[in-house]
Amino acid sequence: MIDLHAHTTASDGSDTPTELVGNAVAAGLHTLAITDHDTTGGWQEAGAAVGRLDVPFTLIRGTEFSCIYDDGDERISLHLLGYLFDPEAESLKAERARLRESRLGRGEAIVDALVAAGYPISWQQVIDIAGGGAVGRPHIGQALVQAGVVDSVTDAFAHLLSSSSPYYVPKLEMPVELAIELIRQAGGVPVIAHPWARRRGRVLDEAALRSLVEPGLLGIEVDHLDHAPDDRARLTELAEELGLLSTGSSDYHGTRKKVGLGSDTTSPESLERLLGLATGIDLIHSPATG
Ligand code: AMP
Ligand code: FE
Ligand code: FE
Ligand code: ZN
């Protein structure tokens, strides 16, 4: 089984990279992509953990970039997965740093608004929960759980942390066309993440998706928890029509989200195509991989 989207403590997942690799093996995966938000911070630890495995296993190093689509009329937040890009490529590296930096001020602004409304959490608490990883709303959600305000991070997202909440503050996001171009320049493969995750807010329509082919988009994450069956069917058709590869993945976040590794998967054929398009960095295989 192949799962191309998972988070660790380097961003808003609850597994360390080492734990993620162990859990991936336990879940029956043989290929996993680590895709933390706006960072490559978990790559080294995950690679080392794969180096210690005694079963066949392949790690794909990636990142999920915070992006914005803006056609002049509307601005829509979206996520872009980049796989196997060179982490030393300067422009992209600088953008990742900018995105992570902005998550700090923005996270603090959300916490300030919640505190002003009487919710008993603190920014220091959120920083401690994030533990040096790229700060995100799930960390604030965890603080709200600790404070007894909500039962789960998912519950926190229903109202307090949703993008339509009065406490919501937007974060810095990269123009998606720029992100696509920089990932390609760094030898990576850009794949749009959960494009029709409609419960999160506005999503790109078909025309907007089509417009990303020209800047160099190479794939669409079709099979994802947040995609309804008819949306999966339509995205599959669209990917075929546009010559894009289609992927499937869990978007695992450990205990911060109710989804298990391998809940959606990518076909071996799509993986082969993806690997054929990547020129940035190599896969990491466990010693037992043939
Ligand atoms: P942020 O990057 O700080 O804007 O937070 C967005 C992150 O929150 C996403 O990457 C998901 O990991 C998580 N998220 C979004 N919606 C939900 C939800 N309904 N339940 C749990 N986690 C969510
Ligand atoms: Fe996340
Ligand atoms: Fe995402
Ligand atoms: Zn994700």
Side-chain angles (χ1 to χ4, degrees), residues 60-261:
I60 295 175
R61 290 169 287 172
T63 293
E64 185 174 23
F65 292 89
S66 303
C67 295
I68 187 88
Y69 172 82
D70 184 353
D71 69 359
D73 292 336
E74 50 181 2
R75 292 168 57 81
I76 299 175
S77 295
L78 64 101
H79 290 166
L80 182 73
L81 294 158
Y83 298 108
L84 298 169
F85 59 84
D86 175 3
E88 296 306 324
E90 274 306 326
S91 310
L92 192 56
K93 189 176 182 180
E95 289 294 332
R96 286 196 302 278
R98 255 159 51 85
L99 295 173
R100 289 197 303 275
E101 174 70 24
S102 104
R103 284 174 167 278
L104 291 170
R106 176 270 197 153
E108 190 167 9
I110 294 177
V111 170
D112 284 350
L114 287 165
V115 169
Y119 294 100
I121 61 171
S122 74
W123 177 234
Q124 186 57 49
Q125 180 189 7
V126 172
I127 288 288
D128 290 346
I129 291 167
V135 178
R137 281 178 285 164
H139 300 119
I140 304 172
Q142 189 82 46
L144 290 163
V145 172
Q146 284 179 4
V149 174
V150 289
D151 287 338
S152 68
V153 175
T154 305
D155 289 347
F157 268 93
H159 298 293
L160 294 176
L161 295 179
S162 92
S163 55
S164 51
S165 159
Y167 312 111
Y168 182 73
V169 178
K171 60 185 183 298
L172 183 71
E173 298 168 317
M174 278 176 87
V176 61
E177 297 85 356
L178 175 66
I180 289 169
E181 281 160 17
L182 293 182
I183 291 167
R184 293 292 298 273
Q185 278 172 26
V189 180
V191 173
I192 188 164
H194 47 73
W196 287 352
R198 301 181 190 278
R199 71 188 172 93
R200 300 187 188 199
R202 300 278 311 282
V203 300
L204 269 59
D205 61 16
E206 287 192 17
L209 278 176
R210 284 173 203 278
S211 78
L212 301 182
V213 175
E214 215 266 323
L217 184 71
L218 293 174
I220 300 179
E221 188 180 56
V222 170
D223 289 315
H224 184 281
L225 177 73
D226 291 349
H227 285 169
D230 54 336
D231 280 342
R232 294 184 188 213
R234 181 60 196 145
L235 285 171
T236 301
E237 289 174 358
L238 208 55
E240 271 171 31
E241 183 201 324
L242 298 175
L244 301 175
L245 58 92
S246 22
T247 67
S249 32
S250 64
D251 201 354
Y252 174 78
H253 281 72
T255 59
R256 300 227 174 90
K257 207 162 159 182
K258 291 168 184 153
V259 65
L261 282 160

Side-chain angles (χ1 to χ4, degrees), residues 22-68:
N23 285 330
V25 171
L29 299 177
H30 63 73
T31 302
L32 170 77
I34 177 174
T35 56
D36 280 301
H37 297 284
D38 305 323
T39 185
T40 61
W43 286 12
Q44 200 181 6
E45 185 185 324
V50 169
R52 293 190 297 269
L53 292 176
D54 56 8
V55 293
F57 193 85
T58 299
L59 179 73
I60 295 175
R61 290 169 287 172
T63 293
E64 185 174 23
F65 292 89
S66 303
C67 295
I68 187 88

Side-chain angles (χ1 to χ4, degrees), residues 269-288:
E269 295 73 26
S270 288
L271 177 64
E272 276 311 307
R273 266 184 79 186
L274 191 157
L275 299 182
L277 292 164
T279 58
I281 53 171
D282 291 331
L283 301 170
I284 294 178
H285 297 296
S286 65

